[in-house]
Amino acid sequence: ACGPGNNGGDGLEAAMHLQRDGRRVVVTWLGTPEHAPADARKSWERARATGVIWADVPPSNMTAADLCIDALLGIGITSTTTRTPDSRMLAMLTALHHSPAPVLAVDLPSGLDADTGQFAAGFNPPTPTTAHSSQKTRHTLSLLTLKPGLFTASGRDAAGSVWLDDLGLSPDYEPPSAWLTGPAKPPPRSHASHKGSYGDVAVVGGEGLAARGLGMTGAALLAASAALHAGAGRVLVALLDEGRMALDTTQPELMLRRFDALALEELTVVCGCGGG
């Protein structure tokens, strides 16, 4: 599925190479030779010369053994764009979303903002309704650089597996605007220290079953666990469960307290997790 611009031209280039490789290629193109950008027009000429099949609508008999290439729109659209897809583009997007075939997006999934990972209005993919649709195989071949939007918000699900082709340009061509990092490395701690040397966090929350029959102690315990993993020395947990839990056996390092036993003025307090 090829759009009218240069992203569509990239799709036409892919069609040409796949046809030369002996594949059966069907192309739906929203552009015209008269109005296409110069590069896209040349790609159209090369694709036509190889004998690809041209169609007004995508094939309806696609299977999981086939491949859909999404080359409708690239980086020219943002999440604040007021343009909505016309009927033909909408039909192609719908066919891509509902086809059982894997989808390979050229540079970006169509309609995705390269910076924010948000879809422009009218371009949101449908919400998966089955396990099959939620596990649909998706790939994105990002060109020149990796776009932040492929790794944020809706971009992570829409892009699937992300591949990069820098087209032979030096990585020094453009300085990166963001870095993908793993968990922060904890700072070194002195051997002559103990848990009281690294600050205290109190977590207040976690309504118990006795109040309304709705147990939400897990929310407070998860928050307390996060505080431990973030480096807090001591984590005190005041559950709103009438004192029914005295120990979390899976995390015995958590110190359970009554609320009135907390010296709040000396603590960093997290309040409200699972409070009802």
Side-chain angles (χ1 to χ4, degrees):
C2 299
N6 282 321
N7 191 260
D10 292 337
L12 294 171
E13 284 289 308
M16 174 198 68
H17 286 289
L18 289 168
Q19 184 74 18
R20 286 179 176 175
D21 196 45
R23 311 294 178 178
R24 180 179 182 272
V25 181
V26 179
V27 176
T28 53
W29 186 36
L30 295 180
T32 61
E34 298 79 17
H35 299 98
D39 288 342
R41 177 184 171 84
K42 292 177 181 177
S43 297
W44 168 76
E45 292 172 348
R46 287 191 287 267
R48 185 178 63 166
T50 61
V52 301
I53 300 170
W54 302 91
D56 292 329
V57 295
S60 59
N61 58 346
M62 302 284 284
T63 71
D66 297 311
L67 174 68
C68 294
I69 295 181
D70 172 10
L72 291 168
L73 294 171
I75 61 174
I77 195 167
T78 69
S79 55
T80 58
T81 299
T82 56
R83 163 190 175 184
T84 56
D86 60 30
S87 58
R88 286 192 66 200
M89 182 174 290
L90 184 60
M92 290 186 187
L93 285 169
T94 301
L96 289 174
H97 293 319
H98 292 286
S99 170
V103 174
L104 170 64
V106 178
D107 211 17
L108 285 169
S110 289
L112 188 75
D113 189 311
D115 292 324
T116 67
Q118 301 285 352
F119 276 99
F123 289 90
N124 294 71
T127 301
T129 55
T130 65
H132 170 74
S133 58
S134 65
Q135 296 171 4
K136 182 179 178 69
T137 303
R138 303 177 188 277
H139 304 277
T140 298
L141 177 61
S142 187
L143 304 175
L144 294 177
T145 63
L146 292 171
K147 286 75 176 173
L150 295 173
F151 305 97
T152 55
S154 299
R156 297 178 67 181
D157 292 324
S161 300
V162 177
W163 306 81
L164 171 66
D165 187 341
D166 62 10
L167 304 182
L169 293 179
S170 166
D172 297 329
Y173 175 75
E174 183 71 23
S177 60
W179 292 96
L180 299 176
T181 64
K185 185 177 180 180
R189 293 188 170 186
S190 170
H191 289 288
S193 64
H194 53 81
K195 60 188 177 184
S197 306
Y198 299 101
D200 298 336
V201 172
V203 178
V204 180
E207 180 181 322
L209 281 170
R212 298 180 297 158
L214 303 173
M216 291 185 281
T217 56
L221 294 174
L222 285 171
S225 178
L228 280 175
H229 285 83
R234 292 181 293 201
V235 180
L236 315 177
V237 184
L239 295 173
L240 308 178
D241 69 343
E242 308 298 330
R244 282 175 168 75
M245 178 181 284
L247 174 70
D248 180 355
T249 56
T250 64
Q251 299 177 104
E253 59 269 49
L254 298 179
M255 303 176 180
L256 276 79
R257 297 286 191 273
R258 292 198 320 269
F259 178 73
D260 58 8
L262 297 176
L264 297 178
E265 67 279 1
E266 301 174 3
L267 303 168
T268 297
V269 180
V270 178
C271 186
C273 307

mmCIF file of all heavy atoms in Angstrom, residues 112-153:
data_model
loop_
_atom_site.group_PDB
_atom_site.id
_atom_site.type_symbol
_atom_site.label_atom_id
_atom_site.label_comp_id
_atom_site.label_asym_id
_atom_site.label_seq_id
_atom_site.Cartn_x
_atom_site.Cartn_y
_atom_site.Cartn_z
ATOM 1 N N LEU A 112 1.548 7.773 12.487
ATOM 2 C CA LEU A 112 2.205 7.878 13.789
ATOM 3 C C LEU A 112 3.132 9.087 13.809
ATOM 4 O O LEU A 112 3.894 9.318 12.868
ATOM 5 C CB LEU A 112 3.005 6.610 14.079
ATOM 6 C CG LEU A 112 3.594 6.495 15.491
ATOM 7 C CD1 LEU A 112 2.493 6.162 16.494
ATOM 8 C CD2 LEU A 112 4.686 5.429 15.542
ATOM 9 N N ASP A 113 3.061 9.859 14.886
ATOM 10 C CA ASP A 113 3.944 11.007 15.064
ATOM 11 C C ASP A 113 5.342 10.498 15.411
ATOM 12 O O ASP A 113 5.528 9.779 16.394
ATOM 13 C CB ASP A 113 3.407 11.897 16.185
ATOM 14 C CG ASP A 113 4.142 13.228 16.306
ATOM 15 O OD1 ASP A 113 5.386 13.210 16.327
ATOM 16 O OD2 ASP A 113 3.480 14.265 16.411
ATOM 17 N N ALA A 114 6.339 10.887 14.617
ATOM 18 C CA ALA A 114 7.700 10.383 14.798
ATOM 19 C C ALA A 114 8.323 10.826 16.110
ATOM 20 O O ALA A 114 9.255 10.187 16.602
ATOM 21 C CB ALA A 114 8.581 10.846 13.635
ATOM 22 N N ASP A 115 7.825 11.913 16.700
ATOM 23 C CA ASP A 115 8.407 12.431 17.935
ATOM 24 C C ASP A 115 7.684 11.948 19.185
ATOM 25 O O ASP A 115 8.312 11.666 20.207
ATOM 26 C CB ASP A 115 8.407 13.964 17.920
ATOM 27 C CG ASP A 115 9.361 14.529 16.877
ATOM 28 O OD1 ASP A 115 10.429 13.929 16.669
ATOM 29 O OD2 ASP A 115 9.026 15.558 16.266
ATOM 30 N N THR A 116 6.353 11.867 19.130
ATOM 31 C CA THR A 116 5.584 11.600 20.349
ATOM 32 C C THR A 116 5.060 10.181 20.463
ATOM 33 O O THR A 116 4.679 9.749 21.554
ATOM 34 C CB THR A 116 4.379 12.552 20.434
ATOM 35 O OG1 THR A 116 3.444 12.233 19.378
ATOM 36 C CG2 THR A 116 4.820 14.004 20.296
ATOM 37 N N GLY A 117 4.981 9.440 19.347
ATOM 38 C CA GLY A 117 4.396 8.108 19.397
ATOM 39 C C GLY A 117 2.878 8.119 19.461
ATOM 40 O O GLY A 117 2.264 7.077 19.702
ATOM 41 N N GLN A 118 2.262 9.279 19.243
ATOM 42 C CA GLN A 118 0.805 9.380 19.218
ATOM 43 C C GLN A 118 0.323 9.350 17.768
ATOM 44 O O GLN A 118 0.994 9.856 16.873
ATOM 45 C CB GLN A 118 0.336 10.686 19.874
ATOM 46 C CG GLN A 118 0.765 10.856 21.320
ATOM 47 C CD GLN A 118 -0.025 9.986 22.272
ATOM 48 O OE1 GLN A 118 -0.997 9.351 21.883
ATOM 49 N NE2 GLN A 118 0.387 9.949 23.534
ATOM 50 N N PHE A 119 -0.863 8.778 17.556
ATOM 51 C CA PHE A 119 -1.439 8.768 16.218
ATOM 52 C C PHE A 119 -2.202 10.061 15.961
ATOM 53 O O PHE A 119 -2.838 10.618 16.867
ATOM 54 C CB PHE A 119 -2.390 7.586 16.042
ATOM 55 C CG PHE A 119 -1.699 6.305 15.677
ATOM 56 C CD1 PHE A 119 -1.419 5.355 16.639
ATOM 57 C CD2 PHE A 119 -1.316 6.053 14.366
ATOM 58 C CE1 PHE A 119 -0.776 4.171 16.310
ATOM 59 C CE2 PHE A 119 -0.668 4.875 14.020
ATOM 60 C CZ PHE A 119 -0.399 3.933 14.993
ATOM 61 N N ALA A 120 -2.140 10.534 14.733
ATOM 62 C CA ALA A 120 -2.967 11.662 14.329
ATOM 63 C C ALA A 120 -4.426 11.223 14.319
ATOM 64 O O ALA A 120 -4.740 10.035 14.177
ATOM 65 C CB ALA A 120 -2.547 12.154 12.943
ATOM 66 N N ALA A 121 -5.321 12.185 14.476
ATOM 67 C CA ALA A 121 -6.751 11.882 14.515
ATOM 68 C C ALA A 121 -7.176 11.147 13.247
ATOM 69 O O ALA A 121 -6.840 11.559 12.137
ATOM 70 C CB ALA A 121 -7.551 13.173 14.662
ATOM 71 N N GLY A 122 -7.906 10.058 13.428
ATOM 72 C CA GLY A 122 -8.399 9.288 12.299
ATOM 73 C C GLY A 122 -7.491 8.159 11.868
ATOM 74 O O GLY A 122 -7.882 7.329 11.038
ATOM 75 N N PHE A 123 -6.267 8.116 12.417
ATOM 76 C CA PHE A 123 -5.308 7.095 11.997
ATOM 77 C C PHE A 123 -5.105 6.005 13.049
ATOM 78 O O PHE A 123 -4.321 5.083 12.830
ATOM 79 C CB PHE A 123 -3.955 7.736 11.677
ATOM 80 C CG PHE A 123 -3.949 8.547 10.415
ATOM 81 C CD1 PHE A 123 -4.262 9.894 10.437
ATOM 82 C CD2 PHE A 123 -3.647 7.961 9.198
ATOM 83 C CE1 PHE A 123 -4.259 10.651 9.280
ATOM 84 C CE2 PHE A 123 -3.642 8.706 8.026
ATOM 85 C CZ PHE A 123 -3.952 10.059 8.066
ATOM 86 N N ASN A 124 -5.774 6.106 14.183
ATOM 87 C CA ASN A 124 -5.579 5.106 15.231
ATOM 88 C C ASN A 124 -5.964 3.722 14.744
ATOM 89 O O ASN A 124 -7.041 3.548 14.156
ATOM 90 C CB ASN A 124 -6.432 5.451 16.452
ATOM 91 C CG ASN A 124 -5.968 6.729 17.114
ATOM 92 O OD1 ASN A 124 -6.155 7.807 16.563
ATOM 93 N ND2 ASN A 124 -5.373 6.619 18.274
ATOM 94 N N PRO A 125 -5.111 2.729 14.982
ATOM 95 C CA PRO A 125 -5.498 1.359 14.628
ATOM 96 C C PRO A 125 -6.621 0.890 15.532
ATOM 97 O O PRO A 125 -6.789 1.406 16.645
ATOM 98 C CB PRO A 125 -4.211 0.554 14.866
ATOM 99 C CG PRO A 125 -3.439 1.361 15.852
ATOM 100 C CD PRO A 125 -3.774 2.797 15.578
ATOM 101 N N PRO A 126 -7.415 -0.080 15.084
ATOM 102 C CA PRO A 126 -8.508 -0.572 15.924
ATOM 103 C C PRO A 126 -7.977 -1.262 17.169
ATOM 104 O O PRO A 126 -6.880 -1.821 17.175
ATOM 105 C CB PRO A 126 -9.246 -1.553 15.006
ATOM 106 C CG PRO A 126 -8.216 -1.985 14.005
ATOM 107 C CD PRO A 126 -7.331 -0.785 13.797
ATOM 108 N N THR A 127 -8.758 -1.222 18.231
ATOM 109 C CA THR A 127 -8.394 -1.926 19.460
ATOM 110 C C THR A 127 -8.511 -3.424 19.227
ATOM 111 O O THR A 127 -9.536 -3.892 18.727
ATOM 112 C CB THR A 127 -9.323 -1.513 20.610
ATOM 113 O OG1 THR A 127 -9.219 -0.101 20.796
ATOM 114 C CG2 THR A 127 -8.940 -2.232 21.896
ATOM 115 N N PRO A 128 -7.459 -4.206 19.551
ATOM 116 C CA PRO A 128 -7.543 -5.653 19.334
ATOM 117 C C PRO A 128 -8.720 -6.255 20.097
ATOM 118 O O PRO A 128 -8.950 -5.939 21.258
ATOM 119 C CB PRO A 128 -6.208 -6.173 19.880
ATOM 120 C CG PRO A 128 -5.290 -4.994 19.849
ATOM 121 C CD PRO A 128 -6.162 -3.799 20.101
ATOM 122 N N THR A 129 -9.466 -7.118 19.419
ATOM 123 C CA THR A 129 -10.621 -7.758 20.054
ATOM 124 C C THR A 129 -10.405 -9.243 20.282
ATOM 125 O O THR A 129 -11.195 -9.884 20.952
ATOM 126 C CB THR A 129 -11.875 -7.575 19.178
ATOM 127 O OG1 THR A 129 -11.605 -8.083 17.855
ATOM 128 C CG2 THR A 129 -12.242 -6.103 19.072
ATOM 129 N N THR A 130 -9.324 -9.786 19.727
ATOM 130 C CA THR A 130 -9.032 -11.206 19.906
ATOM 131 C C THR A 130 -7.556 -11.377 20.181
ATOM 132 O O THR A 130 -6.745 -10.488 19.912
ATOM 133 C CB THR A 130 -9.394 -12.022 18.644
ATOM 134 O OG1 THR A 130 -8.535 -11.604 17.567
ATOM 135 C CG2 THR A 130 -10.846 -11.809 18.249
ATOM 136 N N ALA A 131 -7.203 -12.546 20.723
ATOM 137 C CA ALA A 131 -5.787 -12.829 20.976
ATOM 138 C C ALA A 131 -5.009 -12.814 19.671
ATOM 139 O O ALA A 131 -3.866 -12.377 19.610
ATOM 140 C CB ALA A 131 -5.642 -14.184 21.669
ATOM 141 N N HIS A 132 -5.654 -13.273 18.571
ATOM 142 C CA HIS A 132 -4.966 -13.300 17.279
ATOM 143 C C HIS A 132 -4.611 -11.888 16.831
ATOM 144 O O HIS A 132 -3.486 -11.604 16.436
ATOM 145 C CB HIS A 132 -5.849 -13.972 16.230
ATOM 146 C CG HIS A 132 -5.328 -13.823 14.819
ATOM 147 N ND1 HIS A 132 -4.247 -14.534 14.356
ATOM 148 C CD2 HIS A 132 -5.721 -13.014 13.797
ATOM 149 C CE1 HIS A 132 -4.005 -14.186 13.089
ATOM 150 N NE2 HIS A 132 -4.887 -13.267 12.736
ATOM 151 N N SER A 133 -5.583 -10.966 16.923
ATOM 152 C CA SER A 133 -5.323 -9.619 16.432
ATOM 153 C C SER A 133 -4.330 -8.882 17.316
ATOM 154 O O SER A 133 -3.566 -8.045 16.841
ATOM 155 C CB SER A 133 -6.634 -8.830 16.340
ATOM 156 O OG SER A 133 -7.268 -8.769 17.602
ATOM 157 N N SER A 134 -4.327 -9.183 18.623
ATOM 158 C CA SER A 134 -3.396 -8.497 19.511
ATOM 159 C C SER A 134 -1.969 -8.989 19.321
ATOM 160 O O SER A 134 -1.019 -8.313 19.699
ATOM 161 C CB SER A 134 -3.822 -8.685 20.971
ATOM 162 O OG SER A 134 -3.728 -10.047 21.342
ATOM 163 N N GLN A 135 -1.806 -10.185 18.722
ATOM 164 C CA GLN A 135 -0.477 -10.742 18.516
ATOM 165 C C GLN A 135 -0.036 -10.630 17.056
ATOM 166 O O GLN A 135 0.906 -11.289 16.638
ATOM 167 C CB GLN A 135 -0.469 -12.209 18.957
ATOM 168 C CG GLN A 135 -0.724 -12.387 20.452
ATOM 169 C CD GLN A 135 -0.937 -13.833 20.839
ATOM 170 O OE1 GLN A 135 -0.828 -14.733 20.020
ATOM 171 N NE2 GLN A 135 -1.252 -14.063 22.100
ATOM 172 N N LYS A 136 -0.711 -9.807 16.279
ATOM 173 C CA LYS A 136 -0.375 -9.636 14.872
ATOM 174 C C LYS A 136 1.091 -9.231 14.735
ATOM 175 O O LYS A 136 1.586 -8.376 15.468
ATOM 176 C CB LYS A 136 -1.268 -8.563 14.257
ATOM 177 C CG LYS A 136 -1.027 -8.324 12.765
ATOM 178 C CD LYS A 136 -1.981 -7.257 12.270
ATOM 179 C CE LYS A 136 -1.751 -6.946 10.794
ATOM 180 N NZ LYS A 136 -2.147 -8.084 9.939
ATOM 181 N N THR A 137 1.790 -9.857 13.800
ATOM 182 C CA THR A 137 3.211 -9.595 13.622
ATOM 183 C C THR A 137 3.408 -8.266 12.907
ATOM 184 O O THR A 137 2.866 -8.046 11.826
ATOM 185 C CB THR A 137 3.866 -10.723 12.808
ATOM 186 O OG1 THR A 137 3.641 -11.968 13.472
ATOM 187 C CG2 THR A 137 5.361 -10.480 12.676
ATOM 188 N N ARG A 138 4.186 -7.393 13.530
ATOM 189 C CA ARG A 138 4.448 -6.074 12.956
ATOM 190 C C ARG A 138 5.951 -5.818 12.960
ATOM 191 O O ARG A 138 6.657 -6.197 13.888
ATOM 192 C CB ARG A 138 3.740 -4.976 13.762
ATOM 193 C CG ARG A 138 2.235 -5.157 13.871
ATOM 194 C CD ARG A 138 1.608 -4.068 14.742
ATOM 195 N NE ARG A 138 0.208 -4.337 15.016
ATOM 196 C CZ ARG A 138 -0.789 -4.036 14.197
ATOM 197 N NH1 ARG A 138 -0.528 -3.430 13.057
ATOM 198 N NH2 ARG A 138 -2.034 -4.326 14.508
ATOM 199 N N HIS A 139 6.404 -5.165 11.917
ATOM 200 C CA HIS A 139 7.802 -4.767 11.810
ATOM 201 C C HIS A 139 7.847 -3.345 11.266
ATOM 202 O O HIS A 139 6.945 -2.915 10.549
ATOM 203 C CB HIS A 139 8.579 -5.687 10.861
ATOM 204 C CG HIS A 139 8.511 -7.140 11.221
ATOM 205 N ND1 HIS A 139 9.340 -7.713 12.158
ATOM 206 C CD2 HIS A 139 7.705 -8.133 10.773
ATOM 207 C CE1 HIS A 139 9.051 -9.003 12.265
ATOM 208 N NE2 HIS A 139 8.062 -9.274 11.436
ATOM 209 N N THR A 140 8.903 -2.637 11.603
ATOM 210 C CA THR A 140 9.117 -1.301 11.050
ATOM 211 C C THR A 140 10.573 -1.174 10.641
ATOM 212 O O THR A 140 11.473 -1.478 11.432
ATOM 213 C CB THR A 140 8.779 -0.203 12.078
ATOM 214 O OG1 THR A 140 7.393 -0.290 12.422
ATOM 215 C CG2 THR A 140 9.062 1.181 11.506
ATOM 216 N N LEU A 141 10.800 -0.755 9.402
ATOM 217 C CA LEU A 141 12.146 -0.458 8.927
ATOM 218 C C LEU A 141 12.321 1.053 8.986
ATOM 219 O O LEU A 141 11.795 1.785 8.150
ATOM 220 C CB LEU A 141 12.343 -0.969 7.496
ATOM 221 C CG LEU A 141 13.699 -0.641 6.859
ATOM 222 C CD1 LEU A 141 14.845 -1.264 7.655
ATOM 223 C CD2 LEU A 141 13.743 -1.105 5.408
ATOM 224 N N SER A 142 13.036 1.517 10.006
ATOM 225 C CA SER A 142 13.264 2.946 10.181
ATOM 226 C C SER A 142 14.463 3.362 9.332
ATOM 227 O O SER A 142 15.501 2.697 9.338
ATOM 228 C CB SER A 142 13.523 3.255 11.657
ATOM 229 O OG SER A 142 13.595 4.639 11.884
ATOM 230 N N LEU A 143 14.320 4.458 8.614
ATOM 231 C CA LEU A 143 15.354 4.905 7.687
ATOM 232 C C LEU A 143 16.112 6.105 8.252
ATOM 233 O O LEU A 143 15.523 6.990 8.874
ATOM 234 C CB LEU A 143 14.722 5.276 6.341
ATOM 235 C CG LEU A 143 13.899 4.156 5.679
ATOM 236 C CD1 LEU A 143 13.229 4.666 4.411
ATOM 237 C CD2 LEU A 143 14.763 2.943 5.384
ATOM 238 N N LEU A 144 17.403 6.107 8.044
ATOM 239 C CA LEU A 144 18.330 7.168 8.465
ATOM 240 C C LEU A 144 18.560 7.168 9.973
ATOM 241 O O LEU A 144 19.688 7.060 10.433
ATOM 242 C CB LEU A 144 17.848 8.554 8.015
ATOM 243 C CG LEU A 144 17.815 8.794 6.504
ATOM 244 C CD1 LEU A 144 17.247 10.186 6.211
ATOM 245 C CD2 LEU A 144 19.205 8.671 5.912
ATOM 246 N N THR A 145 17.484 7.314 10.765
ATOM 247 C CA THR A 145 17.629 7.365 12.221
ATOM 248 C C THR A 145 16.469 6.619 12.874
ATOM 249 O O THR A 145 15.440 6.374 12.245
ATOM 250 C CB THR A 145 17.617 8.815 12.749
ATOM 251 O OG1 THR A 145 16.341 9.401 12.454
ATOM 252 C CG2 THR A 145 18.723 9.638 12.134
ATOM 253 N N LEU A 146 16.645 6.293 14.146
ATOM 254 C CA LEU A 146 15.548 5.749 14.940
ATOM 255 C C LEU A 146 14.733 6.913 15.495
ATOM 256 O O LEU A 146 15.284 7.816 16.117
ATOM 257 C CB LEU A 146 16.081 4.889 16.081
ATOM 258 C CG LEU A 146 16.750 3.577 15.670
ATOM 259 C CD1 LEU A 146 17.426 2.934 16.877
ATOM 260 C CD2 LEU A 146 15.739 2.616 15.056
ATOM 261 N N LYS A 147 13.428 6.894 15.259
ATOM 262 C CA LYS A 147 12.567 7.984 15.702
ATOM 263 C C LYS A 147 12.076 7.722 17.127
ATOM 264 O O LYS A 147 11.684 6.600 17.457
ATOM 265 C CB LYS A 147 11.353 8.132 14.779
ATOM 266 C CG LYS A 147 11.668 8.753 13.417
ATOM 267 C CD LYS A 147 12.369 7.806 12.498
ATOM 268 C CE LYS A 147 12.582 8.412 11.115
ATOM 269 N NZ LYS A 147 13.424 7.512 10.275
ATOM 270 N N PRO A 148 12.063 8.736 17.987
ATOM 271 C CA PRO A 148 11.593 8.534 19.367
ATOM 272 C C PRO A 148 10.187 7.956 19.438
ATOM 273 O O PRO A 148 9.873 7.174 20.337
ATOM 274 C CB PRO A 148 11.650 9.947 19.967
ATOM 275 C CG PRO A 148 12.680 10.666 19.157
ATOM 276 C CD PRO A 148 12.568 10.109 17.770
ATOM 277 N N GLY A 149 9.323 8.342 18.488
ATOM 278 C CA GLY A 149 7.945 7.880 18.518
ATOM 279 C C GLY A 149 7.779 6.384 18.346
ATOM 280 O O GLY A 149 6.717 5.834 18.657
ATOM 281 N N LEU A 150 8.809 5.702 17.857
ATOM 282 C CA LEU A 150 8.729 4.248 17.717
ATOM 283 C C LEU A 150 8.830 3.543 19.067
ATOM 284 O O LEU A 150 8.525 2.349 19.162
ATOM 285 C CB LEU A 150 9.852 3.746 16.801
ATOM 286 C CG LEU A 150 9.799 4.210 15.344
ATOM 287 C CD1 LEU A 150 11.062 3.777 14.610
ATOM 288 C CD2 LEU A 150 8.563 3.653 14.646
ATOM 289 N N PHE A 151 9.256 4.273 20.095
ATOM 290 C CA PHE A 151 9.514 3.649 21.391
ATOM 291 C C PHE A 151 8.691 4.268 22.515
ATOM 292 O O PHE A 151 8.934 3.989 23.685
ATOM 293 C CB PHE A 151 11.008 3.765 21.724
ATOM 294 C CG PHE A 151 11.898 3.208 20.651
ATOM 295 C CD1 PHE A 151 12.474 4.039 19.705
ATOM 296 C CD2 PHE A 151 12.129 1.845 20.564
ATOM 297 C CE1 PHE A 151 13.284 3.528 18.698
ATOM 298 C CE2 PHE A 151 12.934 1.325 19.563
ATOM 299 C CZ PHE A 151 13.512 2.163 18.628
ATOM 300 N N THR A 152 7.741 5.126 22.169
ATOM 301 C CA THR A 152 6.930 5.784 23.184
ATOM 302 C C THR A 152 5.451 5.656 22.835
ATOM 303 O O THR A 152 5.084 5.456 21.679
ATOM 304 C CB THR A 152 7.284 7.282 23.293
ATOM 305 O OG1 THR A 152 7.161 7.896 21.994
ATOM 306 C CG2 THR A 152 8.704 7.473 23.786
ATOM 307 N N ALA A 153 4.606 5.778 23.870
ATOM 308 C CA ALA A 153 3.145 5.804 23.709
ATOM 309 C C ALA A 153 2.669 4.652 22.822
ATOM 310 O O ALA A 153 3.051 3.500 23.026
ATOM 311 C CB ALA A 153 2.706 7.160 23.166
#
